[in-house]
C-alpha cells in the first residue's frame, strides 16, 4: 500500500473544484493521492440556478461534467454522497464505501435554513441544486396546464417566493420574465397571475445600497412583483402561506429562499461550528485540526472592518479553494502556510433579462451595464475553471 499522503476533497462546488484544480497544478508526481468526492458527476453553477428554476434558461447551461474540469490522471473522482466524517479515524463514510485521508477539504456547501417555520420543509421548493430547480421549473409549467383544466383554482396562478435576499430577488426577476411566455403558451390572461415576494426584514436585499434596492424594487414591481416587506411567514401549508399578519395567501407554488446555513454533517463530525459553519483560522483550517481545511459555505470568515462574518458567496469559495490547496502542499512539504485574505470584487444581483444592480468598489451600477457585468462575472468563472472553450460553449447563453 502506498504511503504518500492522501488528500480527500468533499464537494465539487466552487471551493472544491478550485482546490482540486490548484492541487493538480502544484503537486509533483507521486507527492500525494488526491480524491474528489461529490454527489453528482458534474459541477453546477449555483449562481445561475435562478434561471433554469424559472425556465428562462436550459438546465444544462448551469452545469459541466467534472471530468472536463479535472485531470483524471492526477485526481481520482468519486461520485457518491458523503454520509459521515469520522475525525478520530481520519475516515469519510460514503453511501457506498469508505475513504481514509491525511488531509481533508470540506466543501459540501450549505443547507436550507427554514428557521423552524412549520410546514416549510414539507411544502416549499428550494433553489439548491440542478435536481431541485428542475422540479420547480416543471411544477410551474404544470400549474398553468392544471389551471386550464379547472379555472376555479386561482391559486394555481399565485406564486409565493419567501425571502427577498439575493436568491429571492434574482428568482422573481426571472419568473416575471417567464410568466408572459407561459400565459401565451397556455392562453392565460396575464392579469390573473400574481407573484408575491415576502420578506421578514424591513427591506429587500438587506445589506445592499438603499438606492440600488429601491431601483431593484421599482424594476420588479413594474414586471408585476408584489412585495410584502417586514412580513414574516408564519406557516407554509399545502394550500399556500399564512403570514404573521394572519393574512393567508393561497398559492400552489411556494419557493423558499429565505435562509441558508452551513452543513449539519460538520456539526455531527464534532468540529466546532456555528450553524454548520466553521470559524476557520487564518490558513482556512478548522480550529484544533491542522489537517482539516474548510472552504465556501462551510467556512466562516470574519470581516475585520465590521467584525462580522462575510456572507457565504461563490466569490468567497473560489478565492479560498486555491489557498487551501497551496496550504496542503505547504503542509506536506513542511513549508510555511499562506494567510487567507478575502478580496471583495463586487456584487451584482440580476433582476431578469437585461436588468441588474451592482456595486464594484465605490461604483454603483444599474440596468444594462449591471446586467452585462453579471454576465462577465459568470463567464469569468467558466474561464477560470474550464478555459476559453468552456467560457465560449456555455457563456454565450448567459
Ligand atoms: P457549493 O457550490 O454549494 O457546492 C457544494 C458541492 O458539494 C456540490 O457539488 C454538492 O453536490 C456537493 N455535496 C453536497 N453535499 C454532499 C454530500 N453529502 N456528499 C457529496 N457531495 C456533496 N454567490 C455569489 O457570489 N454570487 C451570486 O450571484 C450568487 N448567486 C446565488 C444564487 C443562488 C440561487 C444560490 C443558491 C446561491 C448563490 N450564491 C451566489 C451563493 C453561492 O452559490 C455559494 O456561496 C457557493 O455555491 C458556495 O460554494 P461551495 O463550494 O461552498 O459549495
Amino acid at each position: 500500500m502506498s504511503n504518500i499522503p492522501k488528500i480527500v476533497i468533499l464537494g465539487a462546488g466552487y471551493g472544491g473544484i478550485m482546490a482540486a484544480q490548484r492541487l493538480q497544478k502544484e503537486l509533483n508526481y507521486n507527492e500525494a493521492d488526491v480524491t474528489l468526492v461529490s454527489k453528482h458527476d458534474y459541477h453546477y453553477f449555483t449562481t445561475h440556478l435562478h434561471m433554469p428554476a424559472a425556465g428562462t434558461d436550459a438546465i444544462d447551461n448551469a452545469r459541466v461534467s467534472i471530468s472536463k474540469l479535472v485531470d483524471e490522471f492526477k485526481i481520482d473522482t468519486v461520485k457518491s454522497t458523503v454520509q459521515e466524517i469520522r475525525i478520530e479515524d481520519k475516515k469519510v463514510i460514503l453511501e457506498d464505501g469508505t475513504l481514509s485521508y491525511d488531509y481533508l477539504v470540506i466543501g459540501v456547501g450549505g443547507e436550507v435554513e427554514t428557521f423552524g417555520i412549520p410546514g416549510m420543509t414539507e411544502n416549499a421548493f428550494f433553489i439548491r441544486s440542478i435536481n431541485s430547480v428542475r422540479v420547480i421549473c416543471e411544477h410551474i409549467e404544470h400549474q398553468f396546464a392544471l389551471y386550464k383544466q379547472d379555472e376555479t383554482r386561482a391559486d394555481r396562478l399565485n406564486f409565493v417566493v419567501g425571502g427577498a435576499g439575493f436568491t429571492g430577488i434574482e428568482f422573481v426577476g426571472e419568473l416575471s420574465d417567464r410568466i408572459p411566455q407561459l400565459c401565451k403558451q397556455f392562453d392565460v390572461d396575464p392579469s390573473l397571475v400574481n407573484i408575491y415576494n415576502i420578506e421578514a426584514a424591513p427591506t429587500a436585499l438587506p445589506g445592499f445600497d438603499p438606492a440600488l434596492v429601491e431601483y431593484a424594487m421599482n424594476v420588479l414591481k413594474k414586471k408585476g412583483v408584489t412585495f410584502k416587506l417586514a412580513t414574516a411567514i408564519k406557516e407554509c401549508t399545502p394550500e399556500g402561506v399564512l403570514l404573521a399578519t394572519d393574512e393567508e395567501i393561497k398559492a400552489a407554488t411556494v419557493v423558499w429562499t429565505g435562509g441558508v446555513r452551513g452543513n449539519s454533517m460538520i456539526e455531527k463530525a464534532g468540529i466546532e461550528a456555528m450553524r454548520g459553519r466553521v470559524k476557520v483560522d487564518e490558513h482556512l483550517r478548522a480550529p484544533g485540526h491542522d489537517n482539516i481545511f474548510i472552504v465556501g459555505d462551510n467556512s466562516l470568515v470574519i470581516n475585520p472592518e465590521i467584525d462580522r462574518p462575510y456572507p457565504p458567496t461563490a466569490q468567497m469559495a473560489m478565492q479560498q479553494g486555491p489557498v487551501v490547496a497551496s496550504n496542503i502542499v505547504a503542509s506536506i512539504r513542511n513549508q510555511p502556510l499562506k494567510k487567507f485574505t478575502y478580496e471583495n470584487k463586487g456584487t451584482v444581483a440580476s433582476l431578469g433579462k437585461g436588468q441588474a444592480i451592482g456595486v464594484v468598489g465605490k461604483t454603483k451600477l444599474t440596468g444594462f451595464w449591471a446586467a452585462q457585468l453579471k454576465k462577465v462575472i459568470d463567464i469569468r468563472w467558466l474561464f477560470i475553471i474550464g478555459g476559453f472553450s468552456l467560457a465560449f460553449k456555455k457563456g454565450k447563453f448567459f
Side-chain angles (χ1 to χ4, degrees):
M1 221 166 86
S2 131
N3 55 8
I4 61 173
K6 294 189 188 74
I7 305 169
V8 173
I9 304 169
L10 307 182
Y14 290 79
I17 282 289
M18 286 300 273
Q21 289 192 331
R22 184 59 69 93
L23 280 169
Q24 78 186 15
K25 206 163 154 193
E26 285 196 15
L27 283 168
N28 295 324
Y29 177 68
N30 251 351
E31 198 176 5
D33 272 338
V34 186
T35 305
L36 172 63
V37 186
S38 207
K39 233 183 224 180
H40 313 284
D41 54 7
Y42 52 82
H43 161 77
Y44 55 91
F45 322 129
T46 27
T47 61
H48 197 67
L49 287 180
H50 54 289
M51 293 182 74
T56 52
D57 196 8
I59 292 270
D60 278 345
N61 292 334
R63 65 176 172 176
V64 58
S65 166
I66 293 172
S67 62
K68 292 207 164 70
L69 304 179
V70 298
D71 180 345
E72 287 177 308
F73 285 101
K74 293 183 176 170
I75 307 237
D76 292 322
T77 55
V78 175
K79 176 179 175 287
S80 188
T81 300
V82 182
Q83 294 190 326
E84 196 187 335
I85 302 165
R86 289 203 193 144
I87 290 179
E88 311 251 296
D89 306 325
K90 293 194 187 167
K91 282 191 192 305
V92 174
I93 313 299
L94 309 179
E95 60 186 346
D96 47 7
T98 302
L99 286 172
S100 303
Y101 65 82
D102 297 296
Y103 296 93
L104 185 66
V105 180
I106 307 179
V108 284
E111 289 172 348
V112 171
E113 175 65 272
T114 63
F115 304 106
I117 301 172
M120 197 58 89
T121 309
E122 299 78 8
N123 300 311
F125 296 95
F126 308 105
I127 302 177
R128 289 306 310 166
S129 63
I130 290 289
N131 293 327
S132 75
V133 302
R134 187 181 275 135
V135 172
I136 296 174
C137 181
E138 289 187 1
H139 172 86
I140 292 171
E141 206 167 307
H142 194 47
Q143 296 320 300
F144 278 79
L146 288 174
Y147 174 76
K148 290 307 287 184
Q149 252 187 353
D150 175 4
E151 296 197 358
T152 64
R153 288 283 308 274
D155 63 304
R156 299 248 183 241
L157 302 181
N158 287 349
F159 299 89
V160 168
V161 178
F166 219 86
T167 307
I169 287 290
E170 292 202 318
F171 179 60
V172 292
E174 294 303 319
L175 187 58
S176 54
D177 282 348
R178 181 84 204 285
I179 294 299
Q181 296 168 16
L182 288 168
C183 287
K184 209 166 167 194
Q185 188 182 339
F186 290 93
D187 300 318
V188 168
D189 174 357
S191 69
L192 299 174
V193 180
N194 296 294
I195 303 173
Y196 298 97
N197 193 184
I198 302 171
E199 168 62 55
T203 171
L205 292 169
F208 236 81
D209 178 272
L212 293 180
V213 175
E214 195 186 331
Y215 178 92
M217 286 182 64
N218 285 336
V219 167
L220 295 171
K221 279 179 194 166
K222 276 195 199 128
K223 288 185 175 197
V225 177
T226 303
F227 285 96
K228 284 182 181 285
L229 302 180
T231 309
I233 296 177
K234 198 158 77 175
E235 191 178 345
C236 181
T237 67
E239 284 79 43
V241 289
L242 187 62
L243 306 182
T245 51
D246 280 342
E247 181 190 353
E248 187 183 5
I249 300 178
K250 291 210 179 287
T253 310
V254 178
V255 178
W256 174 250
T257 67
V260 281
R261 68 187 308 284
N263 206 290
S264 47
M265 196 160 42
I266 292 177
E267 289 156 334
K268 285 181 199 139
I271 301 172
E272 198 184 315
M274 291 154 78
R275 290 177 51 222
R277 296 177 71 198
V278 181
K279 193 171 168 193
V280 286
D281 70 12
E282 58 190 4
H283 307 299
L284 300 176
R285 293 175 300 191
H289 303 281
D290 286 357
N291 62 337
I292 300 182
F293 293 79
I294 319 277
V295 285
D297 289 4
N298 298 152
S299 73
L300 191 148
V301 178
I302 298 291
N303 178 350
E305 283 170 25
I306 52 169
D307 200 28
R308 285 176 58 88
Y310 284 109
T313 58
Q315 208 187 138
M316 170 66 79
M318 57 199 274
Q319 288 182 35
Q320 289 175 320
V323 174
V324 158
S326 295
N327 281 344
I328 292 177
V329 174
S331 303
I332 291 170
R333 294 177 187 163
N334 285 321
Q335 291 168 348
L337 307 196
K338 276 187 190 164
K339 281 188 187 170
F340 174 74
T341 316
Y342 175 64
E343 196 189 327
N344 185 350
K345 295 195 159 63
T347 314
V348 185
S350 152
L351 308 171
K353 198 170 171 52
Q355 274 287 5
I357 52 167
V359 184
V360 183
K362 288 200 165 47
T363 310
K364 296 179 205 170
L365 293 168
T366 55
F368 175 79
W369 289 112
Q372 296 311 304
L373 182 62
K374 175 86 183 170
K375 282 189 189 175
V376 169
I377 292 169
D378 286 349
I379 293 169
R380 179 176 171 267
W381 172 242
L382 299 178
F383 183 76
I384 289 172
I385 59 169
F388 182 74
S389 67
L390 184 67
F392 182 74
K393 198 168 158 223
K394 304 259 179 202
K396 64 186 174 200
F397 298 105
F398 287 4

